[in-house]
Amino acid sequence: MTAGSSALRRTRWRDRIVAALVLVAVWMLLWGVFSWATLAGGIVVAAVVLKVFPLPAVTFAGRPHPLGLLRFAVRFAGDLVRASVQLAVLAFRLGHQPRSAIIRVPLRVPSDLVLTLTGEAVSLVPGSLIVDTDQASTTLYIHVIGVADRDAVERFRREVYATEARIVRAIGSEAEIGMLGRPVPVRRREDS
């Protein structure tokens, strides 16, 4: 057995343990009761789920960067408040029909983890929702409410790229952080 296969085996076990812990935590939160029986039930359910529905390997080449994580958390909280206020204003404007669009955003970092985390962060902000992803090209398709013109579409697209950059700077590898210097993919005529 080589050192590389041993490290890969340890990584797989670590990923399974993390997935099991998350599943148990979700199970207990869903029940809303913190007891030994709920914990035991969560462990059994997590074991069955992981055995019957094995998760694909998600590579995590980076490491947590505390300052980057703090920047992401603070900005994300600010985005939540700002978007909630903007959405509330749209909801209470009588006679105004807000326009919406589905925007295509090809990400710069070709990572399933970055694609997932960026999509989740964007979807959690009120007024936007991921409607589709293209894993092969790491592209998000996002439904956005309150876009009046192409300038608003481009502003939102830049916000998604900024979110991607904050996530990569929070947990990415040096190579992934270097990819942020790539030019933003050019918008084609048919993109909205």
Side-chain angles (χ1 to χ4, degrees):
M1 177 175 5
T2 66
S5 66
S6 176
L8 182 61
R9 185 175 296 125
R10 277 193 310 267
T11 301
R12 285 186 181 163
W13 272 106
R14 181 197 66 197
D15 292 346
R16 287 180 185 159
I17 290 170
V18 169
L21 290 174
V22 168
L23 287 171
V24 169
V26 168
W27 178 262
M28 293 185 75
L29 288 171
L30 287 172
W31 278 98
V33 176
F34 297 99
S35 68
W36 289 108
T38 309
L39 177 64
I43 292 170
V44 169
V45 168
V48 169
V49 166
L50 291 175
K51 186 66 176 174
V52 174
F53 305 107
L55 298 173
V58 175
T59 57
F60 177 62
R63 63 179 178 82
H65 304 279
L67 188 57
L69 286 167
L70 180 64
R71 285 183 184 138
F72 172 75
V74 168
R75 178 61 191 264
F76 182 69
D79 287 347
L80 285 175
V81 171
R82 181 181 49 82
S84 296
V85 169
Q86 289 173 343
L87 203 56
V89 167
L90 275 175
F92 288 108
R93 285 176 74 184
L94 298 176
H96 175 71
Q97 286 290 99
R99 295 181 65 190
S100 63
I102 295 179
I103 302 172
R104 177 183 174 270
V105 184
L107 300 180
R108 295 169 290 185
V109 178
S111 161
D112 288 344
L113 183 61
V114 171
L115 177 73
T116 301
L117 293 177
T118 303
E120 288 296 327
V122 169
S123 280
L124 288 172
V125 173
S128 59
L129 179 69
I130 302 297
V131 293
D132 196 12
T133 60
D134 181 3
Q135 184 180 8
S137 66
T138 58
T139 300
L140 298 172
Y141 294 89
I142 309 163
H143 180 269
V144 183
I145 193 165
V147 289
D149 54 17
R150 288 220 180 258
D151 289 338
V153 168
E154 289 307 314
R155 275 193 306 275
F156 183 80
R157 192 175 271 132
R158 284 192 302 272
E159 287 178 19
V160 173
Y161 286 125
T163 300
E164 173 195 26
R166 284 190 296 275
I167 288 171
V168 170
R169 287 190 178 102
I171 62 156
S173 66
E174 292 303 318
E176 290 171 337
I177 292 171
M179 290 178 194
L180 295 175
R182 291 179 178 174
V184 172
V186 178
R187 178 177 59 88
R188 296 188 314 237
R189 181 90 176 130
E190 67 271 8
D191 291 347
S192 8

